[in-house]
Amino acid sequence: MNHQSFRSAFEAALRGSGLRVLGLGGEEQLDLHKLDRIYRTAIEPIGGQDADPFFVTAWLSWRWSALQTARANTTEEDVVTEMFGRDDGAAIRTEIPWVRVDITLKATLPYGKPMPMPAPPAMQHWFHETMTRLEQIEPLTPEEQVRQDEGGRLAVLAWQQAEPHVHALCRPSGDLMLDGVELGAWQAVEVPRTLDDPDQEADPGPEEQLTGMFGRTRAALSAWMQALDHLRGCGRVDRQ
């Protein structure tokens, strides 16, 4: 699977989820130093915004490496031969590559209009409500987060921050103002190889993994928005 095919599968799964994309869609950049391709997009909760004054989004991004481009443009066997030589490469067997998809849930206040920092009890209630939902009810990451291969090595397949990040501003008076909150996670999505060996079973495509990822993102984004009720009434939006 090449870069364009993976991007098409990613965007098809996003459309199938019903999530609304902000702006004109995903944007792509080329890292001129490494020749990696970086894709980034932002989405809103199903049904739109319902956490005024917070604006709730989920940002998804992934990096398609130059090595993966080389692997997709030829067969696995040819890449191994090119890297290790014909004799040394003959005994090497490759593993299924994967793309790391980063997911960041965000809730931001209008530009220049932070709110007074909520009291610790309010922040505590928000923390427990948010993390309980995202870890037990509407998890953002798949159930299988670690896998052990035949050699006993552990592979991390997904990860989520244990503590949200809080963005704050400091007024000249010394008062701390809440500007936004966010929580990050990532998931590995396996990409099928191009194999020259007709006897080797073809790798499965990423469609099922992507569909599951967007389904979890859809539910987690809604839970993230609902948990903001613990912060919304804690202080007026500062309009100075």
Side-chain angles (χ1 to χ4, degrees):
M1 170 174 275
N2 60 23
H3 166 267
Q4 188 56 49
S5 297
F6 181 81
R7 175 172 173 172
S8 296
F10 181 93
E11 293 177 340
L14 174 54
R15 289 192 299 271
S17 71
L19 289 163
R20 177 184 174 186
V21 179
L22 288 178
L24 299 177
E27 62 178 27
E28 190 170 288
Q29 297 177 342
L30 177 64
D31 186 329
L32 296 179
H33 178 66
K34 297 181 179 180
L35 298 182
D36 293 350
R37 298 178 182 180
I38 302 103
Y39 180 92
R40 190 167 183 249
T41 191
I43 55 180
E44 287 189 87
I46 292 291
Q49 300 290 329
D50 189 24
D52 185 67
F54 289 97
F55 186 73
V56 179
T57 55
W59 288 82
L60 293 92
S61 64
W62 45 270
R63 177 182 291 264
W64 187 273
S65 70
L67 176 58
Q68 184 58 30
T69 297
R71 294 177 72 171
N73 285 342
T74 183
T75 65
E76 293 286 290
E77 293 83 355
D78 287 346
V79 172
V80 169
T81 299
E82 187 69 25
M83 295 178 66
F84 299 99
R86 189 173 300 278
D87 294 335
D88 294 337
I92 296 177
R93 294 294 179 266
T94 64
E95 296 182 354
I96 300 176
W98 54 273
V99 171
R100 167 175 160 167
V101 180
D102 288 281
I103 308 169
T104 304
L105 303 179
K106 294 187 177 186
T108 56
L109 287 161
Y111 179 76
K113 298 179 180 179
M115 68 165 50
M117 185 65 68
M123 295 297 295
Q124 183 182 36
H125 290 156
W126 170 75
F127 173 87
H128 287 293
E129 174 74 11
T130 298
M131 300 313 294
T132 297
R133 282 174 172 265
L134 296 182
E135 291 177 352
Q136 301 178 19
I137 304 174
E138 289 102 358
L140 186 55
T141 55
E143 183 176 353
E144 184 184 22
Q145 299 190 8
V146 178
R147 179 187 300 166
Q148 188 173 14
D149 63 15
E150 296 178 355
R153 296 171 299 180
L154 293 179
V156 180
L157 306 177
W159 173 86
Q160 177 183 295
Q161 288 179 340
E163 298 175 339
H165 287 179
V166 175
H167 297 276
L169 302 174
C170 183
R171 290 298 194 205
S173 62
D175 294 330
L176 290 179
M177 311 295 292
L178 180 65
D179 195 41
V181 291
E182 68 176 51
L183 181 73
W186 63 264
Q187 175 185 338
V189 177
E190 293 182 338
V191 181
R193 298 165 293 179
T194 303
L195 301 169
D196 195 31
D197 186 355
D199 296 327
Q200 188 166 347
E201 184 179 356
D203 300 328
E207 290 80 8
E208 183 176 348
Q209 299 172 72
L210 292 170
T211 298
M213 181 189 71
F214 279 113
R216 289 187 299 271
T217 301
R218 171 176 171 164
L221 190 55
S222 177
W224 172 257
M225 181 172 62
Q226 293 170 15
L228 291 171
D229 284 341
H230 292 283
L231 302 182
R232 293 167 61 187
C234 294
R236 64 178 178 82
V237 177
D238 185 70
R239 301 187 182 280
Q240 299 179 359

